[in-house]
Amino acid sequence: MKKGYFGDFGGQFIPELLMPPLIELEEAMRTILPSEAFRTRFDQMLRENVGRPSIITHCPHLSRDLGLDLWLKREDLNHSGAHKINNTLGQGLLAKMMGKQVLLAETGAGMHGVATAVAAAMLDMKCVVYMGATDVVRQAPNVGRMRLMGAEVIPVESGTRTLKDAINAALRRWIADQENTHYCFGTAAGPHPFPTLVREFQQVISKEARQQFLDRNGRLPDVVVACVGGGSNAIGMFHHFVPDQSVRIVGVEAAGTGEPGCHNSAPLNLGSDGVLHGMLTKLLQTKDGQILPSHSVAAGLDYPGVGPEHAHLQAIGRVDYTTINDAQALNAFQVLSRREGIIPALESSHAVAYAIEHKDELQGKSVLICLSGRGDKDLGILDQIL
Amino acid sequence: MNPMQIKIDEARARGKMGLIPFLPAGFPDRERFWKELEQLDAAGAAVIEIGMPFSDPVADGPVVERASLKCLDDGVNLAWIFEGLKARKGRFRAALLLMGYLNPVYQYGLDTFAADCEAGGVSGLIVADMPYEESGFVKDALKPHGVSLVPLVGLNTTRERMALYADGAEGFCYFVSVLGTTGQRDALPARIKEKLAEAREVFDIPIALGFGIRRPEQVAPFAGLMDAAVFGSALIGHIEAGGTSAEFMAPWE
Ligand SMILES: Cc1ncc(COP(=O)(O)O)c(C=O)c1O
């Protein structure tokens, strides 16, 4: 297989000026990641700063309501409230050991920005976060958190003013500041080696969850589910289940309002092959190859592309990718809150909604869902739904 | 020899710098764009670089991005560009070069794209988001149609990587003057000098300096180390402020 590819997808489609920092990063992955010094410190950070391992939780009421056996992998209980911190502490420590002083990040929902700000504060580094101007408004509490922890948050006014434009701005900044800055990419997407690097830091989710489920139930789950934005919580949740042929794996993309032709965030379901942000993958685009604006009620899923490994897992038929619309996700947001006392992030609500909407075909099955984040950041939406 | 190199060599033979103005296709509007090209041609451009607008131009600064997005809003696409070029084939003295990002070219179809370049009199292509490692399939598609992929190198490109780009390269080598995006800058970094000298040694085709260039004085310190100058944002800014291409080119001739 060609280097940096997952089947036909992936690659390094970036300006030559970014090749040296990517080569440097690849080299650091080879030398620093496996080192005793990195492993020891990183394991300690996951235990003592993140709170790993995160637990799995049984949902007795929803299980009864839906006629299935529902379990959650609780990434929402991580410090800073989502899976994002698994990645930012890993990349942050790697960058620190590479001698970098600045962590640069893009963010959509703000969760990755917050998690990068945490990493920077913990590692005594500077943090710069680019965030689409639209997201700055709709995820305002996270902007406050980032600033409180010392991050510089830069609103991005260009293009569609959401995550994809924040990535463009961060890539531009990285071209100029590559000497002392590490680009802490927030999802399992972008140019090689980011999809592999981010998976490396997120695979802990399924490494733990698989063993925890086995210990508790004496068997593997029938179905594993995660929401897919760029694809980092999903690849983390899927990785160690991929070889288990008995386990059905489902990735859930955001359908937007769900009306035909509406803006959505479902490139695996509704997009086509193309090149954006350094990767050949599935994209939402016009026939002329211009990138379409995306939409989801969940800012963290609002992205017109997806990590290349997901495009590959879809192509080889190992993972089923399906969609959930805004209304279904908002319903799941309320149902999980009311029935189990757990307020999920709107992103994670898409994964929960899958079990609700597909309960008929899931009758009697054990379903393990990655609850990628908590919903505190989304309470502003309450005005619209209650 | 690729026409881009022929034209730059001709300028050098006259003791001049090769001039490579850049305009996004459809700028400042769809009508005037072709008139600006004619003016640039008449004013002595060696190569005219035409931008293929893309929604997500990561190598570009705000001036080029804004201009390109406006062209997209006006409905500019590759079909429109090639239609205009085919209708004017043979009318430009300058060599023509298309510059953009991979995805629009990829969706158009590489073979169709290469054939349309040939039919429209285009002799070169720059893909801003395609490093050496990914460029094989594009070069293969361009070759039968006599279109060259112009290599981009910069201040952080090692001699080893320059050598990869130099192997089989035609037309000219585009040397990016800054670690940054396109856009005007008052001063160019001094360390350009040694890197340009290195590029000179590695490449046996002309070297063009681009990004941030507006006035001849800026490149004077590097005159012996380069053969051509590319200007984009400054030209766009000049036209946006009500000027013409001919005025902009005057101090360079
Ligand atoms: C809680 C939560 N889940 C999921 C996502 C989507 O990202 P990914 O697909 O990389 O997991 C985000 C992104 O911000 C998020 O905050």
Side-chain angles (χ1 to χ4, degrees), chain A residues 88-340:
Chain A
T88 60
L89 289 191
Q91 286 198 48
L93 181 60
L94 183 64
K96 183 91 182 175
M97 292 175 75
M98 289 167 74
K100 305 285 177 187
Q101 289 110 43
V102 182
L103 290 182
L104 167 66
E106 82 294 341
T107 197
M111 298 308 277
H112 173 62
V114 167
T116 308
V118 171
M122 275 180 54
L123 294 160
D124 198 20
M125 298 170 83
K126 198 169 154 329
C127 182
V128 178
V129 180
Y130 284 89
M131 186 170 189
T134 303
D135 294 332
V136 167
V137 174
R138 65 175 163 168
Q139 303 281 313
N142 275 341
V143 177
R145 286 186 188 106
M146 286 183 263
R147 291 190 168 140
L148 192 56
M149 288 185 283
E152 181 191 356
V153 181
I154 305 176
V156 177
E157 299 284 354
S158 62
T160 59
R161 306 157 90 231
T162 58
L163 180 56
K164 94 174 165 67
D165 307 286
I167 294 175
N168 292 340
L171 285 169
R172 288 174 183 136
R173 173 72 172 253
W174 201 30
I175 293 176
D177 288 349
Q178 51 189 260
E179 188 90 21
N180 67 348
T181 299
H182 171 70
Y183 183 9
C184 184
F185 204 81
T187 189
H192 173 72
F194 283 114
T196 306
L197 180 63
V198 175
R199 183 190 68 199
E200 169 66 22
F201 292 133
Q202 293 295 1
Q203 53 80 28
V204 66
I205 300 174
S206 52
K207 189 172 172 195
E208 290 173 3
R210 188 176 180 282
Q211 193 57 49
Q212 288 166 325
F213 196 94
L214 267 177
D215 289 347
R216 183 68 164 68
N217 298 296
R219 57 188 295 273
L220 291 173
D222 297 314
V223 187
V224 164
V225 187
C227 67
V228 182
S232 69
N233 88 91
I235 207 67
M237 185 66 179
F238 297 167
H239 187 66
H240 292 283
F241 287 109
V242 166
D244 297 320
Q245 290 304 328
S246 71
V247 177
R248 184 165 168 237
I249 305 179
V250 180
V252 183
E253 296 193 298
T257 62
E259 289 150 23
C262 73
H263 288 321
N264 62 78
S265 304
L268 290 165
N269 281 277
L270 301 167
S272 55
D273 293 5
V275 176
L276 178 71
H277 295 152
M279 56 182 168
L280 173 54
T281 187
K282 294 285 179 188
L283 295 180
L284 300 171
Q285 58 183 325
T286 68
K287 67 166 179 32
D288 289 334
Q290 306 299 336
I291 307 306
L292 283 169
S294 54
H295 166 77
S296 169
V297 68
L301 302 181
D302 199 337
Y303 181 58
V306 64
E309 192 169 3
H310 290 291
H312 174 60
L313 289 169
Q314 180 186 47
I316 62 172
R318 178 61 188 99
V319 177
D320 294 331
Y321 293 91
T322 179
T323 62
I324 282 294
N325 67 36
D326 289 350
Q328 293 167 329
L330 287 168
N331 175 55
F333 178 66
Q334 297 169 82
V335 168
L336 189 68
S337 300
R338 200 174 313 128
R339 295 299 283 146
E340 306 291 348

Side-chain angles (χ1 to χ4, degrees), chain B residues 40-124:
Chain B
L40 291 168
D41 193 49
V47 180
I48 300 175
E49 184 181 340
I50 300 171
M52 303 176 284
F54 180 49
S55 53
D56 294 79
V58 291
D60 285 301
V63 172
V64 174
E65 180 178 36
R66 198 171 1 94
S68 302
L69 293 180
K70 186 184 166 290
C71 296
L72 281 181
D73 282 345
D74 291 344
V76 169
N77 60 13
L78 278 171
W80 180 83
I81 295 171
F82 283 127
E83 193 185 315
L85 287 175
K86 286 176 196 169
R88 291 167 182 79
K89 191 171 184 189
R91 276 208 245 154
F92 297 104
R93 280 183 300 175
L96 300 178
L97 166 66
L98 290 177
M99 180 271 167
Y101 295 81
L102 183 56
N103 200 46
V105 175
Y106 187 76
Q107 302 308 324
Y108 194 77
L110 279 170
D111 294 329
T112 319
F113 178 86
D116 280 353
C117 281
E118 186 175 13
V122 173
S123 42

Side-chain angles (χ1 to χ4, degrees), chain B residues 81-181:
Chain B
I81 295 171
F82 283 127
E83 193 185 315
L85 287 175
K86 286 176 196 169
R88 291 167 182 79
K89 191 171 184 189
R91 276 208 245 154
F92 297 104
R93 280 183 300 175
L96 300 178
L97 166 66
L98 290 177
M99 180 271 167
Y101 295 81
L102 183 56
N103 200 46
V105 175
Y106 187 76
Q107 302 308 324
Y108 194 77
L110 279 170
D111 294 329
T112 319
F113 178 86
D116 280 353
C117 281
E118 186 175 13
V122 173
S123 42
L125 172 67
I126 293 176
V127 183
D129 57 348
M130 192 178 64
Y132 173 80
E133 282 77 354
E134 306 290 354
S135 64
F137 72 119
V138 174
K139 280 190 221 159
D140 290 347
L142 296 179
K143 204 172 176 82
H145 297 279
V147 182
S148 301
L149 188 66
V150 171
L152 277 168
V153 301
L155 294 168
N156 61 350
T157 311
T158 59
R159 182 184 278 264
E160 292 71 35
R161 288 190 66 77
M162 281 190 192
L164 294 176
Y165 282 107
D167 186 26
E170 297 172 326
F172 67 96
C173 161
Y174 192 131
F175 190 96
V176 177
S177 67
V178 291
L179 278 184
T181 50

